[in-house]
Amino acid sequence: MAIMTHPITPFTTPPTTHVHLSTSISKATSLPQLKQVHTQILRQNLSDSDALLLNLILSSIPLPSSLHYSLSVFSTLQKPQTHLINKLFREVSRSKEPHNALLFLENGRRNGMEVDRFSFPPLLKAASRAFALREGMEIHGLGCKLGFDSDPFIQTALLGMYAACGKIEDARLVFDKMSERDIVTWDIMIDGYCQNGLFDDVLVLLEEMRSSNVEPDSRVFTTILSACGQTGNLAIGKVIHELISGNNIIADSRLQSSLISMYAGCGCMDLAQNLYDKLSQKNLVVSTAMISGYSKAGQVEAARSIFYQITNKDLVCWSAMISGYAESAQPQEALKLLDEMQASGVKPDQVTMLSVISACANLGALDQAKRIHMIVDKYRFREALPVNNALIDMYAKCGYLDGARGVFGRMRRKNVISWTSMISAHAIHGEAYQALMLFRQMKEPNWITFVAVLYACSHAGLVDEGQQIFSSMVNEYNITPKLEHYGCMVDLYGRANRLREALELVETMPMAPNVVIWGSLMAACRIHGEYELGEFAAKRLLELDPEHDGAYVFLSNFYAKGKRWENVGEVRQLMKHNGILKERGYSKIEMDHEIHEFLTSDKSHKHADDIYAKLDEVVCKLMQVGYAPNTSVVLIDVNEDEKKDVVLLHSEKLALCYGLLKSNRGSPIHIIKNLRICEDCHNFMKLASKVFEREIVVRDRTRFHHYRGGSCSCKDYW
């Protein structure tokens, strides 16, 4: 029997080995696991391992701290096939870190890697997404060098890169050189003009497009309408609407939604609602746009009506309504809605939390603030820089400076907003020297930082320091003063009773003084009894803002102090004729996670009898240590006894008494007041803090007062 022989063939890797290793790569969830697979590939000495190594790289890219490893593996590839390299570029350009594709290109070119025309579109896409103009221009140069610059796919990618990076003129140069322009190309160029705010060029380009026998489709119009809605460009939006109607373009659901979103974004809610009502099916995107539009227009009830008609609300929809409440001075509703959202199984994102934190800051409720901070930690937002900055502001506005300090101290990364927020926190709490200390530690303050630190100086009477800082802003930091800085300086001089210098500054400013500056001068005159200059400032203020209630009140009070009751009557008659009402003073206090609000002489609270009984007790005890009602703050034509009754029933006194009734003994009492605290209430709070051995924190219109042991943090300078 013949013995059959076979030729000896070289050893080849069994297909099962490749499958096994590929499976191991796909299942790996950490860098150490991938490194173990990498070791197996090396031990097998596979002759065709490039594909496996490429899969290894692609699997490692999403993992944290993997870039160095990915690049090191990439550099070991001997002569990888171009189609494999292009696959890598495509995948990375679509990832969360598109810039990494450019790093792989740089690494590969150093090692002699070759690219072809299919390499350029994903690389340029990566440059677009990463806004990497320099690298994008280098890729453009490489494409020209290799003779690919006339490839229509590369030209389209170049166009997108320059437009995304804001180099609209360079984008137009590429666009004009293109021999073939499809609808996608025109859309990219139009979008580029829109994103750069060049809407007149958009209309010209539309005409060019139509004369080139390319009819704009709904996608092009959607692009323009979206940009108009975002920028509030109603005029162009209406032109596009007329083009759609005049050319009998079928408005599909997407285009209809874009029209509604455009009108809503521009605040034309009647037109938006008219189109919205005609929709046979109202999708979530357009309903959310309507909610945002109504909220921005201050029509939060209309927004809520649409919101509660939506059955399957997504995160964006919830966030829009929460933001609407937060921006419409309804912070409690915003916080309630956050609870509803979580109960429905929708987790908040960073945008939602920023709205909620802002709402809590406006509310000034410390217990709520601490609860919101717990939610931030629960959803792991504590490393997010914008969230931490917002938390600093929230705690500061809720009267908890230690909380703001704690957030600031724990932050691993800080930016100019972080530092400025903390400086502002110290400033509104009367800690001017701490604000100055932080300011001196900063490397690159911006113009807002200087507003914060000048504010700190003005509220502490640090005139010399304020003058030096104002000078350094101009001479050392090359920051041109804005109205806000001049306003702080006028306030600084005015509070320090240096009214002549304040007036000189107003008269020599390089720009016309605004309402805030005349208001600061007027307020300083009220504090120091300089009523003639104050009358002058008030009248200048009314020339700029004829409906400014504060100026009318100042004039009325000025005339009342001089017992010029006829003039008082004239001012009040003018207010009545113009429909101007004096802002009513109110005070709020948080008890058991509920906000209680009081007006002057308020008897609407369910515990009013107990509150008034407590007030009698408090007044009696304070009189024993020297308190006497300061009736000079009452500027109405009534007798002295009536004036005493008025001043004793101010809203912050009622809030304090409720706090003494309901809070735990020894715990701080936090009160929020919408107007400046009066001299009588300020003295009342100081004495109450001593007699009842309680810290009392009052947030008025401009700052915080911390009353402890009979004294105030403002040192009676407010």
Side-chain angles (χ1 to χ4, degrees), residues 420-440 448-467 469 484-485 487-489 491-492 495 702-703 713-714 717-718:
T420 301
S421 297
M422 198 64 230
I423 289 169
S424 295
H426 283 297
I428 63 174
H429 284 270
E431 296 193 350
Y433 289 105
Q434 288 87 339
L436 287 170
M437 182 181 69
L438 278 177
F439 172 72
R440 290 175 184 128
I448 301 173
T449 312
F450 279 97
V451 172
V453 76
L454 287 171
Y455 176 95
C457 292
S458 73
H459 281 259
L462 304 178
V463 178
D464 292 341
E465 290 86 345
Q467 288 175 320
I469 287 166
E484 290 87 346
H485 302 112
C488 287
M489 292 303 293
D491 195 50
L492 175 72
R495 288 176 184 276
T702 58
R703 63 175 300 159
S713 59
C714 76
Y717 189 91
W718 88 102

Side-chain angles (χ1 to χ4, degrees), residues 458 470 482-493 505 509 514 516-517 520-521:
S458 73
F470 186 84
K482 298 177 182 286
L483 275 166
E484 290 87 346
H485 302 112
Y486 284 109
C488 287
M489 292 303 293
V490 170
D491 195 50
L492 175 72
Y493 287 130
L505 186 60
M509 284 165 47
N514 63 359
V516 174
I517 288 174
S520 294
L521 185 60

